[in-house]
Amino acid sequence: MNKKELYATEDNRKRRAVLVGARIGNISEEDFDIGMAELKGLVKACNIEPVFRATQNLLREDSATFIGSGKVEEVKNLVLECEADVVIFNNQLSPSQMVNLSKALDVEVIDRTGLILNIFAERAKTKEARLQVDYAQLKYMLPRLVGLRANLSRQGGTGGSLSNKGSGEKQIELDRRKIEKEMAFLRKELAEVEKTRELQRGRRTSSGIPLVALVGYTNAGKSTLMNKMIDMYGTDASQKVFVQDMLFATLDTTVRKLETKTGRSFLLSDTVGFINDLPTDLVNAFHSTLEEALFADLIVEVVDSSDPNHIMHSEVTSKTLSQLGAGDIPKITVMNKAEVLENITIPKVNDDKIYISAKSGVGVEELVALIERKLNAALKLCDLLIPYDRSGIESQIRSSAQLVNIEYQENGIAIEAYLDAENYGRYKEFIV
Ligand SMILES: Nc1nc2c(ncn2[C@@H]2O[C@H](COP(=O)(O)OP(=O)(O)OP(=O)(O)O)[C@@H](O)[C@H]2O)c(=O)[nH]1
Ligand SMILES: [Mg+2]
C-alpha cells in the first residue's frame, strides 16, 4: 500500500502540508485509513491545507527517521513539488526522529501530538485552558528543542544556526532553562486555578443538585445538545456555548442549570471532546477539565451515529472514561444526528440508549425524561421526621433534596423526599 495521493487544493494562501503515515504492526488497513482521515481533519482544524498524503507499510519504525530512507526521499520530493511548508506525521515521533527528519526534509516537521497541541493552543480561551495548554506545549517542546530550533531558524526566526553548532547548543541550554522556569511558574498558577475549580465543585455537590456530564468524541454534537437543552429547559437567560463543525471546538468546561417540566433541576456540563490517541501530555495537563465527568451523577455520552466510525469513537470514549476513573458512573448513550440515518424513526428509546437529533431538537424531550428517570433511580425515597427544635434541617433538605411531601405534625415536621447517598448519610438520624 505504499502510495502517495494528491488532495484537491482549496486555498493557496494557507500553509500547505504533506501528511505522512506509516502503518505498523497489526493495524488493519481500514483503521489506518480512519486514522489518516482524522489527521486530515485535525490539519484542517489547524487552518493548514493538506495537499499530499504519503503512506508506508512498515515492519518496524526506523530509529533515525521513523519511515524508511527511500520514503524520506519521496516525501522530500513531494514537499518540493507542491511547495509544502510543513510535513505532518500521524505517528508519534521521538525527539531525535523529529530532528533528523526536519534536517532531511528541510521543512518544519510536526507529529500528531504537536498538531493537537497547536489546535488546543489556538482555541484555549479561559485562564485555566490557557495554562493547561501552555504547560503541555512546553513539556512537549523540552526534549525537542534541537529540532524546534532548526524549524525556527528555517522560518527566519531568531534561532541559532545549526551549522554553528557551539552557539546553537548554548542557545538550546538557555532555552531549556527558560522553559523549565516557565513550567514551574505555570504549575504554581495551575494549582491555584485547580483550587478554585475544586471549590466550585464542592459548592455544587453540597447544593444537592445532581450533575449530568455531556461527554463524547470530538464533533459528536455535545455543545449543540447543550444549547438545545438550554433553549428548552434553561433556568435563566443562560449563555449558549460555541458550536462549530471542526475538531475540538470546545476546550473549556461550561456548566448550566436546567429545570425539567416536573420541576426537577440538574446541572449540565459540556467540556472538551475525546479523540483516539489523545496525547498523554495533554490528558495530564487537561486532567482537571477532563475529570469533570468524574464528579457527575450521570454521564450522557453523545455519539455521532451518522459517522461510519462511531463504534470506534464510542470505544475511545469508554476507554478514556475508565482511565479517568469514571467508568462506573451510570450512563445514557445518545445516538445523535440520527435524522441522517435511514431506517430509524426518531426518537427511538431503547433501555439506556436514545436516538435523537440535537440540531432539530427531536428526541430531546424524551432524553430529558430518560435523564430524570436515571437520576431518580439513584435516589432513595425516604420519610423523615424532624423535631421542631431542629427546624433548620427543614430548609437544608428543601434546598438540597427533592421534596415530595411535607406535613407539620404534632411531634415534628414529617418530610417525604428523594435523598441521594450523601444526603442519606447526612440525615440518617431523622429517617423513620
Ligand atoms: N446533522 C446534524 N448535525 C449535527 C447535529 N448535532 C450537531 N451537529 C453538527 O455537528 C457539528 C459539531 O457540533 P458540536 O456541537 O460543536 O460538537 P461537539 O461534540 O461539541 O464538538 P467539540 O466541542 O469539537 O468536541 C456541528 O457542525 C453541528 O452543527 C444533529 O443532530 N444533526
Ligand atoms: Mg463542543
Side-chain angles (χ1 to χ4, degrees):
M1 188 212 34
N2 291 336
K3 57 183 178 188
K4 54 180 189 174
E5 186 183 307
L6 178 66
Y7 290 124
T9 19
E10 289 170 2
D11 177 353
N12 291 321
R13 284 161 305 154
K14 284 188 197 165
R15 291 220 297 153
R16 298 151 70 91
V18 171
L19 313 191
V20 180
R23 189 175 138 219
I24 298 183
N26 49 10
I27 298 180
S28 74
E29 191 148 335
E30 197 187 347
D31 284 348
F32 176 73
D33 280 336
I34 291 171
M36 287 304 288
E38 197 166 75
L39 181 73
K40 194 174 165 193
L42 288 167
V43 170
K44 285 184 163 174
C46 219
N47 207 24
I48 298 175
E49 188 184 3
V51 282
F52 247 112
R53 115 177 187 166
T55 56
Q56 182 175 40
N57 283 329
L58 281 179
L59 274 179
R60 69 184 71 83
E61 64 180 77
D62 185 292
S63 60
T65 51
F66 203 95
I67 48 175
S69 55
K71 203 72 185 175
V72 174
E73 215 33 57
E74 186 187 315
V75 172
K76 185 167 183 167
N77 288 332
L78 286 177
V79 167
L80 294 173
E81 206 175 304
C82 59
E83 295 173 6
D85 313 279
V86 52
V87 173
I88 302 172
F89 278 72
N90 200 27
N91 312 79
Q92 186 145 0
L93 301 174
S94 75
S96 66
Q97 284 167 340
M98 205 145 141
V99 175
N100 295 334
L101 281 165
S102 68
K103 276 184 195 161
L105 298 171
D106 202 28
V107 278
E108 183 180 352
V109 173
I110 50 179
D111 61 7
R112 187 179 162 97
T113 304
L115 188 67
I116 295 180
L117 279 170
N118 266 334
I119 300 175
F120 273 51
E122 268 177 34
R123 304 280 159 75
K125 287 201 188 66
T126 58
K127 183 175 178 197
E128 184 177 23
R130 278 243 61 90
L131 290 170
Q132 287 172 330
V133 174
D134 284 352
Y135 187 79
Q137 273 195 313
L138 291 176
K139 181 143 186 253
Y140 177 77
M141 267 168 76
L142 205 52
R144 295 175 171 78
L145 280 177
V146 182
L148 291 168
R149 198 143 262 295
N151 279 339
L152 253 184
S153 60
R154 198 171 301 109
Q155 289 163 18
T158 51
S161 137
L162 278 174
S163 54
N164 187 352
K165 207 164 166 238
S167 84
E169 269 167 15
K170 202 163 140 204
Q171 187 57 45
I172 284 161
E173 189 48 40
L174 286 176
D175 286 349
R176 189 181 323 256
R177 272 188 229 145
K178 222 162 90 189
I179 288 178
E180 278 166 354
K181 215 167 129 192
E182 178 71 14
M183 281 174 77
F185 171 76
L186 288 174
R187 256 198 308 273
K188 243 191 259 155
E189 289 270 296
L190 267 171
E192 281 300 311
V193 182
E194 273 162 30
K195 234 188 270 166
T196 320
R197 175 181 284 279
E198 270 164 33
L199 262 174
Q200 285 170 344
R201 258 190 212 131
R203 229 176 280 139
R204 257 192 253 143
T205 330
S206 66
S207 75
I209 305 178
L211 175 68
V212 178
L214 294 172
V215 302
Y217 214 71
T218 177
N219 214 44
K222 300 176 291 297
S223 301
T224 307
L225 180 58
M226 173 101 170
N227 284 341
K228 203 45 143 193
M229 287 172 78
I230 291 174
D231 260 349
M232 296 169 68
Y233 304 97
T235 47
D236 32 45
S238 302
Q239 265 191 346
K240 297 292 189 58
V241 293
F242 178 61
V243 168
Q244 188 79 58
D245 188 13
M246 65 181 173
L247 305 180
F248 297 118
T250 306
L251 282 188
D252 306 311
T253 303
T254 313
V255 182
R256 297 281 181 263
K257 189 175 164 190
L258 306 181
E259 196 178 302
T260 67
K261 302 239 153 66
T262 61
R264 191 182 213 304
S265 30
F266 64 92
L267 298 169
L268 185 70
S269 76
D270 175 32
T271 188
V272 57
F274 301 151
I275 195 165
N276 201 9
D277 298 328
L278 193 63
T280 331
D281 283 348
L282 214 52
V283 174
N284 291 339
F286 268 74
H287 204 267
S288 81
T289 308
L290 287 168
E291 75 175 6
E292 194 62 33
L294 198 56
F295 297 88
D297 299 277
L298 176 66
I299 285 176
V300 172
E301 189 206 341
V302 184
V303 179
D304 177 353
S305 65
S306 73
D307 191 310
N309 307 318
H310 73 262
I311 294 176
M312 180 273 275
H313 293 177
S314 201
E315 283 166 4
V316 169
T317 304
S318 298
K319 206 175 87 196
T320 315
L321 285 174
S322 302
Q323 278 167 357
L324 291 167
D328 292 330
I329 300 175
K331 188 170 92 176
I332 292 174
T333 306
V334 170
M335 302 299 279
N336 189 31
K337 313 195 189 179
E339 88 282 357
V340 183
L341 302 177
E342 286 166 24
N343 310 323
I344 295 260
T345 14
I346 48 172
K348 178 175 164 235
V349 190
N350 175 341
D351 290 330
D352 292 336
K353 194 188 239 185
I354 177 168
Y355 287 80
I356 69 157
S357 166
K359 209 172 189 171
S360 68
V362 180
V364 174
E365 211 176 308
E366 288 76 2
L367 168 65
V368 171
L370 189 58
I371 290 176
E372 209 170 351
R373 260 207 317 280
K374 280 293 243 192
L375 287 177
N376 284 341
L379 299 175
K380 264 202 193 112
L381 185 61
C382 302
D383 285 309
L384 304 109
L385 186 70
I386 295 146
Y388 283 108
D389 61 349
R390 303 287 301 279
S391 60
I393 303 284
E394 178 201 336
S395 58
Q396 280 179 30
I397 293 180
R398 272 183 189 274
S399 65
S400 70
Q402 202 193 351
L403 234 64
V404 178
N405 192 30
I406 184 159
E407 267 173 45
Y408 298 89
Q409 300 176 344
E410 228 169 86
N411 54 346
I413 309 165
I415 294 179
E416 196 184 355
Y418 281 105
L419 300 187
D420 62 16
E422 203 181 324
N423 276 332
Y424 187 86
R426 193 178 294 154
Y427 304 119
K428 215 167 167 182
E429 56 173 311
F430 303 109
I431 295 174
V432 290

